[in-house]
Every structure is written in structure tokens, then in C-alpha cells.
Amino acid sequence: MTVQDEKQLTALYQMLGKESSPAKLDSKILAMAEANLSDRSDTQMNITNRPTFGRKWRWPLSGLVTVLLVSVIMVHQYFSPLQKIPPHMESAQPASPGFMQMPALIREQDPVESKRQRFSDVEAEAQSAGDVNFHEDMHANKVEIIQNAAQWRIQLQAIDKLLSDGKTEEARTALTKLVSQSPSVAAHLSDRHLQLLDRPR
Amino acid sequence: MQFARSTASHNPTPIQVQSDEQLMLAYGQGEIQAFSQLYAKHKDPLWRFFIRRGMPTDCAEELMQEVWQRVIQSAAHYQANARFTTWLYQIARNLLIDKHRLAHRQFKLVTEHFDDEDCSANEPEQLVQSARQAQMLRKCLAKLPALQLDTFLLKEEAGLKLDQIAQVMDSAVEACKSRMRYAVANLIACLGKHGEKS
């Protein structure tokens, strides 16, 4: 057997009829391929439409987290040692729920700290009381100044009217009286008033 | 590679020249056109592989359908690790073996009297001689042992090389080489014998 024999055989084999697969079979197989594609796309669609774990449990989980968070905040506030109750409120503290009682309990456990805290509370209260008085004085002064200014304006208007009526002497007397009663009005006098005061009788 | 040339001419105007593996991957991604191209390229050689293996037409049809069904089902997960043709004929041969195992197929014996009716008396003598030889080859092929026939058909129809045939048949390259040598020797002997008789 030689390579030549093999080539001759190959040539001879190629002379055999070239049978083809039946057309019916071809169309059947091609339809099968198409059906498989559409099945796959349907499956893919089902997979994408199926609710995921996150989507399915979104609301229950968020609700649970909210409840947990609120609970943590409440517990934190309930046991917080930084909770301060002013002494005057402490005396008025009713036998209310543990929410307000708890800090008092903590203070009882540490009397030294409690005393120190009370002292600082009293100090702070005194300070705040002093501040309130100061602010009240300031407010009263302001009101007085405003009232005085209004009075001066009225009196000065009256003096102006006397001057325009030609009653110069009366105007001078009234102005002199006003300046002697309230020296601070001098800062608000016009040139006309000053001339009246300077002019010899 | 006779088959490769013949299949290339079978596909008249491919839009884009793609390898079998690329076509298979494209089909895996949903391109039916790629499958059509792939099927058109391989359907006839595969059909002849079954027919020349002595399968009745209805049996060959069944096998063809099974082979392509497996190809279609594997498309979504297909990875171009091996040559597509090798994979395709591996499936075909495994199914064929299963079928034979079930049917206890016996190889057909070559009939002593050749059918000369196909050969026209008016054709030139050389052509008539060639046609007669081809007819004889068909009968001699049917006489070959299964492994030698598979080796020969995989080379002639699928256009596979010896190492690829070895892969399809799950045997050593040397064994395939030896089978091919025996197949050619047996066919030549068969043809010579019948040539002398005629």
C-alpha cells in the first residue's frame, strides 16, 4: 500500500454519489434550533422577572431595621448616664415611669458625683437668674429712653409752635425748663433751639 | 482535504467567514443564522457518515436528529476548547456505537454480482470503468471492519487528520494510523479482486 493508493482511493471515494440529508429532516432540525433559542429567551425572561431575594424581603427587612433602630435609640436614652434632671424638677418628679426615674437611680448609686452635680446645677441656675435680671434692667432702660424721647419730641414741637406764633419768651422759658429737667435733650436740639437758648433776653 | 473544499463551495455567499467554533458561540448567544450556516456546512458529510456506515435511512435520520439535538442543547454552555468537527463526530460516533450495541448490527457482505444497470453502455469506456470502480468501492466499504471504516470515513467525509480521528475514536494515533493503513489495503484488495472478476 502506498500514498499513491490512498490518493487513488480518495479520488474514487469522491466519485461516489453525494447523498444529502432529507429536506424534511433539515427543516425539522432547524426548527428545533429555533425552538431552543426561544425557550432559552423565555427562561432568561423568567429568571429576570423572578423576584430576587432583595426585592422580596425589602419591606419586611426595612420594617425590622426600623423597629430595631427605634428600640436601640430608646434603650440608649433609657440607660444614658448623661441624662440630667435639674434639682427643682427632681423634687417635682412624680412616681412616673422609669424613663424619668432612671437617672435619679444612677445618682443614688454615686452620692459624691450627685452632690457635685447638684452644686453645679445650682450655680448654673443662679447664673441664669442673674442673667435674667440684667436683661430685664436693660429692657426697662430702653423703654424709659424711648418714652423720654417721645416726651421731648412733643415738648420740642410745642416750643416750635410757640416760636412760629411769635411767642419767643414763652418758648425760651419752656426750652430752658426742658433742658434743666433733662440735660440729655441738649444733644437733640436744633440750631433754632440753640439760638433761642443763647439769645439774651 | 477533499470535504473541506467541497463544503466551502456548498455555502454560496457567507456574509462573514467564521470558524465553526465562532458560529457555535454565536448560536449560543442567540444567532439562529449562525446555526443555519453551521448546519448547512456539516449536515451532508454527517449524513453520509451514517449512511456509509450501513445505517438504514430511517435510522440515520434518527441519529442525525439526536446528534444535532445534543449540539443545540450544548450551545448555551459551549466553550471552544476543541475543534467543532471533532466534537460533532465524537457525539455521532458515540450514538452510533450505542445504536449498534442495541441492534447487534451485522456488517453487510459484499454481493458477488455487481449491479451494472447504472452504467450506460454509451458512455466512454474510461468513465464507465471509473463509475464501476466507485460502485465497487461502495460495496467494499460495506465489507470493512467497523473501526477501519470509521477511520476511513472520518478522514474522507469529516476531513479529519489522524490525531483528530484518534480523539474522536478515543484511541491512540498510532492505532488509527494502523487502522487507516489496513482500511486502504483492504479496499484496494477488494477492488482488485472485483476488478479481476469483472
Side-chain angles (χ1 to χ4, degrees):
Chain A
M1 190 206 79
T2 60
V3 178
Q4 191 66 27
D5 292 337
E6 206 174 321
K7 278 183 181 171
Q8 274 181 354
L9 262 182
T10 300
L12 201 60
Y13 184 84
Q14 295 307 321
M15 284 180 74
L16 289 176
K18 296 280 180 193
E19 299 98 333
S20 289
S21 58
K24 197 177 140 188
L25 178 69
D26 295 346
S27 52
K28 201 173 177 180
I29 290 169
L30 288 172
M32 207 157 69
E34 263 183 83
N36 182 271
L37 272 192
S38 58
D39 282 356
R40 252 193 286 159
S41 63
D42 286 351
T43 314
Q44 192 72 27
M45 208 176 282
N46 284 341
I47 289 167
T48 48
N49 286 345
R50 196 185 298 159
T52 56
F53 178 81
R55 234 194 296 169
K56 194 178 173 184
W57 292 97
R58 184 171 49 189
W59 292 112
L61 277 175
S62 60
L64 191 73
V65 167
T66 309
V67 167
L68 203 70
L69 203 65
V70 168
S71 308
V72 165
I73 290 167
M74 285 184 75
V75 167
H76 181 74
Q77 282 199 340
Y78 190 83
F79 290 106
S80 175
L82 297 172
Q83 183 87 24
K84 283 183 186 177
I85 297 174
H88 64 275
M89 279 186 74
E90 198 180 326
S91 60
Q93 201 173 296
S96 57
F99 187 77
M100 295 297 281
Q101 287 176 349
M102 205 57 210
L105 287 174
I106 292 165
R107 276 198 293 272
E108 276 170 20
Q109 285 168 2
D110 190 356
V112 177
E113 181 63 29
S114 172
K115 275 181 185 173
R116 192 179 296 154
Q117 201 164 351
R118 275 186 198 180
F119 180 74
S120 65
D121 287 346
V122 169
E123 218 175 22
E125 201 179 12
Q127 178 78 35
S128 66
D131 285 350
V132 169
N133 290 338
F134 174 75
H135 285 297
E136 278 175 2
D137 289 349
M138 283 289 288
H139 182 71
N141 283 341
K142 274 183 187 175
V143 170
E144 199 181 337
I145 288 166
I146 290 164
Q147 281 175 348
N148 285 342
Q151 277 182 356
W152 296 339
R153 202 170 294 123
I154 291 164
Q155 285 181 2
L156 286 171
Q157 278 173 357
I159 289 164
D160 285 340
K161 199 180 177 185
L162 287 172
L163 279 174
S164 56
D165 291 344
K167 297 173 182 173
T168 315
E169 277 309 310
E170 283 180 32
R172 184 181 290 125
T173 311
L175 188 61
T176 310
K177 193 180 172 186
L178 180 63
V179 171
S180 60
Q181 279 176 354
S182 310
S184 54
V185 80
H188 300 277
L189 294 177
S190 64
D191 291 342
R192 196 178 168 193
H193 294 138
L194 290 172
Q195 279 175 2
L196 190 65
L197 285 174
D198 291 341
R199 199 180 293 167
R201 292 182 186 176
Chain B
M1 210 182 281
Q2 294 290 331
F3 167 66
R5 262 179 272 145
S6 68
T7 47
S9 60
H10 182 79
N11 210 356
T13 47
I15 302 162
Q16 195 181 356
V17 180
Q18 282 182 308
S19 69
D20 293 344
E21 293 76 29
Q22 284 173 322
L23 288 172
M24 188 63 186
L25 288 169
Y27 174 60
Q29 287 168 358
E31 279 183 45
I32 190 69
Q33 205 61 29
F35 181 82
S36 304
Q37 220 172 312
L38 197 66
Y39 181 71
K41 186 178 173 183
H42 290 282
K43 72 182 181 88
D44 290 341
L46 187 64
W47 175 255
R48 285 194 291 271
F49 175 73
F50 287 135
I51 290 292
R52 295 200 176 147
R53 242 335 216 91
M55 299 294 291
T57 314
D58 57 336
C59 230
E61 273 186 34
E62 202 181 303
L63 281 174
M64 271 285 274
Q65 209 170 313
E66 268 185 70
V67 171
W68 286 105
Q69 193 168 12
R70 290 201 185 183
V71 170
I72 288 163
Q73 282 171 352
S74 312
H77 312 288
Y78 177 78
Q79 287 181 327
N81 295 330
R83 204 179 160 202
F84 174 78
T85 318
T86 314
W87 178 59
L88 180 74
Y89 281 90
Q90 218 161 10
I91 297 169
R93 197 168 172 275
N94 288 339
L95 287 172
L96 195 69
I97 289 167
D98 290 346
K99 201 87 179 169
H100 275 303
R101 214 171 277 160
L102 288 172
H104 299 288
R105 176 190 174 274
Q106 297 294 316
F107 282 99
K108 287 177 190 170
L109 291 171
V110 179
T111 50
E112 291 300 318
H113 302 288
F114 292 103
D115 194 3
D116 290 343
E117 285 169 10
D118 293 343
C119 307
S120 169
N122 297 328
E123 284 176 337
E125 200 180 328
Q126 199 180 347
L127 199 65
V128 172
Q129 182 67 21
S130 298
R132 192 175 285 167
Q133 274 191 326
Q135 199 66 20
M136 278 193 286
L137 178 64
R138 192 188 294 271
K139 291 172 194 273
C140 290
L141 282 173
K143 270 184 82 177
L144 277 183
L147 289 175
Q148 288 178 29
L149 182 61
D150 279 353
T151 311
F152 185 80
L153 288 175
L154 286 170
K155 178 183 172 277
E156 295 301 333
E157 286 296 350
L160 298 180
K161 290 174 184 166
L162 278 171
D163 58 326
Q164 291 162 345
I165 294 171
Q167 205 179 327
V168 171
M169 295 179 74
D170 197 21
S171 56
V173 180
E174 282 304 313
C176 284
K177 207 172 178 178
S178 165
R179 276 173 204 151
M180 180 59 93
R181 207 182 304 126
Y182 278 117
V184 172
N186 285 338
L187 286 172
I188 284 175
C190 178
L191 287 169
K193 194 172 130 190
H194 288 297
E196 282 167 16
K197 279 184 182 177
S198 63

